[in-house]
Amino acid sequence: MDKVYRSLLAFLVLAVMLASSMGPITPIVKAEKEYYKLEFEVLVPEYDPVRIRAAELLSQYAAQVGIKIHVRPVDLNYEITKTQDEHDFDMYIIGWSSKNMPMYISSFIKISEDRPGGNNIEGIRNETLDKLAHMLDKTVDPEKQKEILWKIQEILADQVPYVGIYTRFLTQVWVKNLKGLHKEYWGYASPMTWRTAYFEGKKGGTFVVILADDLRTENVLLARSIYEDMVWDALYDTLVYLDDNYSPKPWVAYKYEWSPDGKVWTFYLINNATWHDGKPLTADDVVFTFEYLVKNNVPGFRFVKYVEKVEKVDDYTVKLYLKEPYAWLLYDLADTPILPKHLWENVQWNVSKAPLIGSGPYKWSKRVEGEYIELVKNENYWRRDMPKMDKLVFRIIKNFNAALLAMEAGEAHFYVYYIPTSAVDRVKKNPNLHLNLERGVTFYYLGFNLRRPPLDDVWLRRAIAYLIPKKEVVEGPLQGLGEPCTWYISPYFGELSNPEVPKKFPWIGSIEPNIEKAKEMLAKSDKYEYKDIDGDGILEAIPKAKPTTTKPPATVTVTTTETASPSPTPTGTAAERVVTKTVTKTVTASVTVTAPAPTSPATAPAGKGLSTLAAIAVIIIVIAAILLFLRRRAG
Amino acid sequence: MEAVSVKRYRRFERVIEFWRAYSRTRLGLIGLGILLFYTLMAIFAPWIAPYDPKARVGGSFEPPSAEHPLGTDEMGRDILSQVIYGTRVSLLVGVLAALLAAAIGSAVGMVSGYFGGLVDDLLMRITDLFLVIPGLPFIIVLSVVLGPSIWNIILVIAIISWPSVARLVRSETLSLKERLFVQASRVSGATDLYIIVHHILPNVLPIVAASMVLTITSAIILEAGLSFLGLGDPTKISWGTMLYFADRQGALLSDNPYYIIAPGIALIGIGLAFVFVSYALDEVVNPRLRERER
């Protein structure tokens, strides 16, 4: 009896101990509250020190206003799941270049994209923006496009669902004698580079490229990462390609034309292209590719939902009929590999090992998982002058430092990822390496979850936007290899970027944290009253008693009459779920990178550090003396 | 009155004797010295450190100079100051995690060993469960779930460290409870709780202390490891976070390799100190080893 009693007691003790240790795991159920604490968590990908530093600095400045921000570095996939799929987050920092590119921006602001897996991560539900986005997709006229894009940018800057922090220059390294590189999305690792790169003063040779990640699958349709795209670009051809200025140019389709209403597209194919197994590439293959993508609703190809039917005119002519005009068709086609009908007909689109026969300049040779992928020259490529190399080898090296050392040792010729900023000087000093510094369209931003009060208050978002130390991030962790971001569409796109945004919306234009302005913004709020009720230094948001009518968003009148009526297109197909590939692009103008001026310590007396060292030495000696003394006494 | 002072005198006597035995071991003395040094650095960090570790006080990646003996990091922050402040986090995490593990472990071990039977079986099975969990992966998963904070790291390290302490304490308790003085106490009507607190606990303490020292070392290294993997709290300056940023920013290839070397050496130093101390404690606690030394 007594024993049972004791064992019960023991269990009680154990249970209490376990419960107390489990405490932080069980989420605290938040009841409907009459106020909200300004305490947020910002998700940051753990692999990027720059973004973590940005979050850390933001957290420091926000604390001065009374906003508590916890920095949470997480795995990138976890962050994407939390934000894009589950919408379970307060704020997040991520780099997503498409988000500031005119041809992709519409998919980030549509209301229909505000669903698990959709691109509208923030939960922007603005009718006007939604209408503009749909209109943009259908508008082919550049002038009209510009007008719509400018309005979109103004509404975004006014409402601040997300705010840019910095843009990063492309810092790619290749060996000095490598020539004939071409730019596209992602700096010089473009499809055209694989076709035209050569070693100066040498015929053929093996071209070794370092990728930071391996292929996930051996199926071109499942490619999502930029590294996968690079490999497939060498193996497959496309109808059109994007040139150095990011505009579509003929490739396998040597000519293309469209009907005045933009709904019927005709592609004329070259007649000497063959597959790697010797069979000719004809209109049948192109028709098959379109129909295959449409039939299977393959994610990642946005144009498929606009396709009505595909028609073969003759062996080398294809007609594509669209349901409604679609402005970005050629951009999408530049990303769409042509598939061989005779091999893919009976293959599921999502198998992990698909036929590896393409029509590109290189043929598949072999792959050692996690180590390298080897491609060999296609002797029968339709462009007789391409490719210039005998072999193209993609070596997979995940660690920057190791990759750079391999470049220095001459084991590789081209490093496609950014080198760490601290290594820039070292590369510049190396006579065999060429460091390419160019402005890119990368976009690193802070996004808010508008579904979660009090982040639904535009004044709070503006206040936080005022606190982002954009300049400090660029000068510190980025070492000046970037620019503070004050836009919604990169100035790289010239006219399409609205130059008024930073001036008209100072919270977007400010590049240094402004505590005063942030406080001013909070005071202006008509939705919440911000004050510190419990005296812990963190503000609380108390909803204002009378729900005032929220300000209407900036009035927008778009005078496009001829475009199709802006009825929301039926969306929600699987194809839309998948994210447009993150792309980046470069500018021809060379960028002079100035190292940030070292802010000399104004008050620190010279040799302050030395005196510390001296103090430490004294401490060590004193400790040693005391111990020795005690020892002697004891002995 | 007299009894009390005699007791106190005895205790003092024991401390002196312990110190005498301890100070004979050279390693123990060195370890203790290093530890004292680290402790002082942690306590007096704001006075010792030349700069605010979070302030931008120079250019990026400045090589060592008179102003910055270990140079600066990519944010223009003084590395020496960061290393000094980092001592605080490491010691805090190490000591608290080890204390927590020791508390849980000895509670479970004593209860299990003393009562035996069903209680023992169940508690030991639970302990086994925790023992077989692979430590590092479990810690990584837990710290991802719980989020980055020093307190979570302490908790997580304690969760995986207590079972070994429990095992140790249980076996000691098993032999202790059969000793005459415990039997005598029981016969004179002492309750179980009284016996555990007054007879078992003081006698297992030396063992717990010796094992704690090693737990501290592994806790400090684990904390640094987690932070290095990017699972720590990046807003807190610790050696692990420093190593993380240094590695990701390519410090070894930059002008200032001390960014990665300094926290590394600091970690080695503290780990070594605790290992020395634990060797020495082993010799003092375990008479057989002491004999051999002579």
Side-chain angles (χ1 to χ4, degrees):
Chain A
M1 193 59 214
D2 206 22
K3 204 94 177 179
V4 174
Y5 208 62
R6 278 185 214 134
S7 58
L8 274 179
L9 185 81
F11 271 112
L12 212 69
V13 171
L14 192 75
V16 168
M17 271 172 353
L18 276 179
S20 61
S21 64
M22 294 307 247
I25 299 174
T26 35
I28 300 146
V29 182
K30 276 180 193 158
E32 196 65 45
K33 283 192 295 188
E34 63 264 45
Y35 64 83
Y36 305 93
K37 214 174 187 60
L38 291 193
E39 192 169 0
F40 308 104
E41 188 178 73
V42 54
L43 298 176
V44 200
E46 56 87 19
Y47 65 87
D48 184 5
V50 179
R51 276 171 266 177
I52 293 184
R53 289 293 200 198
E56 186 192 331
L57 288 169
L58 171 66
S59 151
Q60 270 178 35
Y61 290 112
Q64 295 180 28
V65 182
I67 304 172
K68 177 102 184 132
I69 294 180
H70 299 278
V71 183
R72 177 148 189 214
V74 290
D75 185 69
L76 180 65
N77 289 330
Y78 178 84
E79 180 170 349
I80 292 173
T81 310
K82 277 282 170 201
T83 52
Q84 199 164 10
D85 296 341
E86 294 174 7
H87 297 159
D88 177 18
F89 66 101
D90 297 328
M91 304 181 205
Y92 70 108
I93 295 180
I94 217 167
W96 202 347
S97 314
S98 326
K99 206 153 176 158
N100 81 140
M101 293 168 92
M103 44 300 255
Y104 301 111
I105 197 168
S106 64
S107 76
F108 291 90
I109 52 181
K110 284 178 189 162
I111 293 180
S112 61
E113 283 288 327
D114 177 16
R115 64 199 156 83
N119 277 359
N120 185 346
I121 297 171
E122 289 80 11
I124 307 167
R125 293 192 158 268
N126 184 315
E127 295 288 337
T128 330
L129 264 183
D130 190 56
K131 275 180 192 164
L132 287 170
H134 283 286
M135 215 181 279
L136 182 65
D137 277 354
K138 287 173 208 150
T139 310
V140 189
D141 176 23
E143 273 305 306
K144 289 268 157 30
Q145 274 183 4
K146 181 181 143 188
E147 192 184 341
I148 299 173
L149 279 168
W150 276 39
K151 296 228 157 83
I152 288 179
Q153 290 170 65
E154 286 194 8
I155 299 177
L156 282 175
D158 182 61
Q159 294 294 310
V160 212
Y162 56 93
V163 48
I165 303 173
Y166 64 91
T167 177
R168 185 173 179 158
F169 294 152
L170 301 170
T171 42
Q172 290 178 311
V173 177
W174 58 79
V175 292
K176 277 246 166 74
N177 63 345
L178 183 67
K179 303 281 166 180
L181 294 99
H182 282 272
K183 274 179 303 181
E184 206 224 38
Y185 293 149
W186 226 77
Y188 284 84
S190 72
M192 203 39 73
T193 293
W194 311 143
R195 285 156 178 77
T196 58
Y198 62 95
F199 291 121
E200 205 170 31
K202 187 174 159 191
K203 203 164 177 289
T206 302
F207 184 19
V208 183
V209 178
I210 298 181
L211 297 186
D213 216 339
D214 198 1
L215 297 176
R216 291 182 314 143
T217 61
E218 289 178 11
N219 180 348
V220 60
L221 295 182
L222 294 179
R224 290 292 170 273
S225 88
I226 196 81
Y227 306 113
E228 291 180 291
D229 283 350
M230 286 173 190
V231 176
W232 301 126
D233 284 342
L235 205 71
Y236 290 93
D237 255 347
T238 49
L239 285 177
V240 293
Y241 78 99
L242 299 176
D243 70 359
D244 286 14
N245 295 318
Y246 209 60
S247 65
K249 287 278 146 53
W251 192 242
V252 169
Y254 69 90
K255 195 173 90 180
Y256 49 82
E257 53 198 33
W258 57 92
S259 62
D261 64 357
K263 283 186 176 175
V264 186
W265 292 69
T266 316
F267 297 94
Y268 302 93
L269 312 181
I270 49 158
N271 58 12
N272 58 346
T274 56
W275 296 104
H276 294 158
D277 58 3
K279 295 219 163 65
L281 188 160
T282 63
D284 284 330
D285 295 306
V286 177
V287 171
F288 167 78
T289 304
F290 286 149
E291 282 175 346
Y292 189 81
L293 295 178
V294 172
K295 185 181 80 196
N296 294 304
N297 217 338
V298 182
F301 300 93
R302 293 183 306 164
F303 71 94
V304 297
K305 67 176 188 206
Y306 293 96
V307 174
E308 196 183 355
K309 62 171 178 164
V310 197
E311 193 182 281
K312 174 183 167 185
V313 180
D314 60 43
D315 267 0
Y316 293 101
T317 315
V318 175
K319 265 199 161 79
L320 182 65
Y321 294 85
L322 298 182
K323 290 175 193 149
E324 50 191 87
Y326 176 54
W328 317 113
L329 180 69
L330 288 175
Y331 289 92
D332 287 6
L333 290 184
D335 241 357
T336 308
I338 308 171
L339 303 174
K341 184 182 178 189
H342 60 285
L343 292 171
W344 277 79
E345 250 172 336
N346 300 313
V347 175
Q348 284 270 328
W349 71 270
N350 53 2
V351 292
S352 60
K353 280 199 190 290
L356 293 170
I357 299 287
S359 60
Y362 290 96
K363 293 193 282 195
W364 186 267
S365 167
K366 66 178 168 196
R367 167 181 180 216
V368 177
E369 229 166 289
E371 288 185 27
Y372 65 89
I373 299 146
E374 188 185 278
L375 308 179
V376 293
K377 181 178 181 176
N378 174 11
E379 301 286 349
N380 300 317
Y381 194 51
W382 62 275
R383 280 285 299 249
R384 290 291 168 232
D385 55 337
M386 294 176 189
K388 318 271 190 196
M389 308 282 198
D390 297 328
K391 253 189 202 171
L392 177 59
V393 178
F394 292 97
R395 264 185 74 179
I396 293 130
I397 302 182
K398 292 190 180 180
N399 184 301
F400 317 118
N401 304 325
L404 204 59
L405 291 174
M407 292 286 296
E408 287 182 356
E411 291 167 18
H413 308 115
F414 187 14
Y415 183 45
V416 299
Y417 191 66
Y418 309 118
I419 58 163
T421 48
S422 57
V424 166
D425 283 340
R426 189 182 166 107
V427 173
K428 275 187 186 156
K429 279 182 219 148
N430 190 316
N432 298 323
L433 296 182
H434 171 79
L435 173 68
N436 186 60
L437 286 178
E438 281 186 37
R439 191 176 279 128
V441 281
T442 53
F443 185 63
Y444 294 87
Y445 67 93
L446 171 76
F448 303 101
N449 190 349
L450 308 196
R451 304 169 193 89
R452 223 173 242 191
L455 286 171
D456 56 350
D457 182 15
V458 64
W459 293 103
L460 174 60
R461 300 198 298 269
R462 286 174 187 172
I464 296 176
Y466 260 128
L467 294 169
I468 301 177
K470 301 174 183 176
K471 197 173 150 213
E472 205 173 330
V473 173
V474 169
E475 287 180 356
L478 256 185
Q479 304 272 292
L481 296 176
E483 280 168 354
C485 182
T486 55
W487 58 76
Y488 281 91
I489 282 184
S490 168
Y492 178 80
F493 294 99
E495 286 270 277
L496 297 182
S497 172
N498 187 338
E500 300 292 315
V501 163
K503 285 172 236 154
K504 233 163 126 182
F505 307 94
W507 46 87
I508 303 297
S510 103
I511 57 171
E512 275 175 278
N514 193 330
I515 309 286
E516 288 314 306
K517 282 281 184 192
K519 284 183 178 157
E520 212 174 278
M521 291 291 120
L522 289 181
K524 276 190 190 159
S525 171
D526 45 14
K527 206 161 183 170
Y528 298 102
E529 191 189 343
Y530 294 98
K531 71 175 181 199
D532 188 6
I533 312 177
D534 46 12
D536 59 353
I538 302 170
L539 297 175
E540 273 83 26
I542 309 137
K544 296 232 163 134
K546 216 171 61 188
T548 47
T549 45
T550 42
K551 259 200 211 161
T555 46
V556 177
T557 45
V558 179
T559 52
T560 39
T561 41
E562 80 223 73
T563 46
S565 67
S567 62
T569 43
T571 47
T573 54
E576 230 193 358
R577 283 181 55 88
V578 170
V579 184
T580 48
K581 293 163 191 167
T582 310
V583 286
T584 319
K585 167 192 187 202
T586 55
V587 152
T588 348
S590 71
V591 182
T592 48
V593 179
T594 47
T599 44
S600 56
T603 47
K608 198 174 172 190
L610 280 187
S611 59
T612 306
L613 284 188
I616 287 175
V618 169
I619 294 175
I620 292 175
I621 293 167
V622 168
I623 289 176
I626 292 175
L627 282 175
L628 283 177
F629 175 72
L630 281 176
R631 188 186 188 193
R632 197 168 296 163
R633 280 290 298 271
Chain B
M1 274 289 275
E2 206 181 55
V4 168
S5 68
V6 166
K7 207 173 167 189
R8 204 174 275 167
Y9 177 72
R10 278 238 189 94
R11 204 169 274 169
F12 182 68
E13 189 88 308
R14 273 168 78 182
V15 169
I16 291 284
E17 195 183 326
F18 173 81
W19 170 247
R20 215 169 255 160
Y22 185 90
S23 64
R24 279 199 198 98
T25 61
R26 194 176 296 136
L27 281 185
L29 219 53
I30 295 173
L32 193 66
I34 304 178
L35 275 190
L36 265 177
F37 168 64
Y38 275 112
T39 316
L40 288 180
M41 253 197 346
I43 295 172
F44 298 106
W47 290 276
I48 297 174
Y51 304 97
D52 176 359
K54 287 202 158 193
R56 190 183 175 87
V57 290
S60 298
F61 289 120
E62 269 183 24
S65 64
E67 277 90 50
H68 308 285
L70 296 177
T72 60
D73 69 0
E74 86 276 10
M75 306 281 285
R77 297 167 176 181
D78 185 52
I79 287 176
L80 178 64
S81 308
Q82 290 190 49
V83 172
I84 291 172
Y85 270 87
T87 319
R88 294 183 146 192
V89 171
S90 290
L91 276 182
L92 185 79
V93 169
V95 172
L96 281 189
L99 272 179
L100 194 58
I104 301 176
S106 38
V108 171
M110 284 192 301
V111 167
S112 161
Y114 185 81
F115 291 112
L118 190 65
V119 184
D120 183 28
D121 274 352
L122 277 166
L123 283 180
M124 278 305 112
R125 293 303 80 78
I126 294 172
T127 312
D128 287 345
L129 185 78
F130 277 92
L131 262 182
V132 294
I133 293 176
L136 195 63
F138 180 67
I139 272 196
I140 290 175
V141 170
L142 259 194
S143 56
V144 167
V145 173
L146 296 179
S149 114
I150 289 185
W151 305 109
N152 287 341
I153 286 185
I154 291 174
L155 188 77
V156 165
I157 292 175
I159 287 177
I160 71 147
S161 317
W162 70 264
S164 52
V165 183
R167 279 270 176 205
L168 216 61
V169 169
R170 174 180 170 270
S171 60
E172 188 68 17
T173 311
L174 278 181
S175 88
L176 276 174
K177 77 171 178 184
E178 303 302 334
R179 299 266 183 89
L180 275 180
F181 68 96
V182 176
Q183 307 273 8
S185 182
R186 196 176 293 144
V187 167
S188 8
T191 61
D192 290 336
L193 190 69
Y194 182 89
I195 294 176
I196 289 182
V197 173
H198 287 89
H199 295 308
I200 311 276
L201 185 62
N203 283 297
V204 297
L205 265 186
I207 300 178
V208 173
S211 79
M212 229 183 88
V213 174
L214 279 181
T215 315
I216 294 179
T217 323
S218 68
I220 289 175
I221 303 284
L222 265 176
E223 188 273 334
L226 285 181
S227 306
F228 176 68
L229 292 176
L231 298 168
D233 180 353
T235 56
K236 288 268 182 324
I237 289 171
S238 83
W239 296 331
T241 355
M242 285 181 75
L243 284 172
Y244 165 82
F245 283 114
D247 177 59
R248 300 299 166 101
Q249 289 283 12
L252 267 184
L253 302 181
S254 76
D255 291 335
N256 186 10
Y258 292 99
Y259 192 5
I260 209 160
I261 293 172
I265 287 181
L267 266 172
I268 293 172
I270 204 163
L272 214 57
F274 276 113
V275 170
F276 285 172
V277 169
S278 103
Y279 275 162
L281 278 183
D282 230 19
E283 277 177 25
V284 174
V285 173
N286 191 339
R288 243 187 302 156
L289 285 177
R290 212 190 313 169
E291 293 298 318
R292 209 185 297 152
E293 175 85 353
R294 276 180 185 164

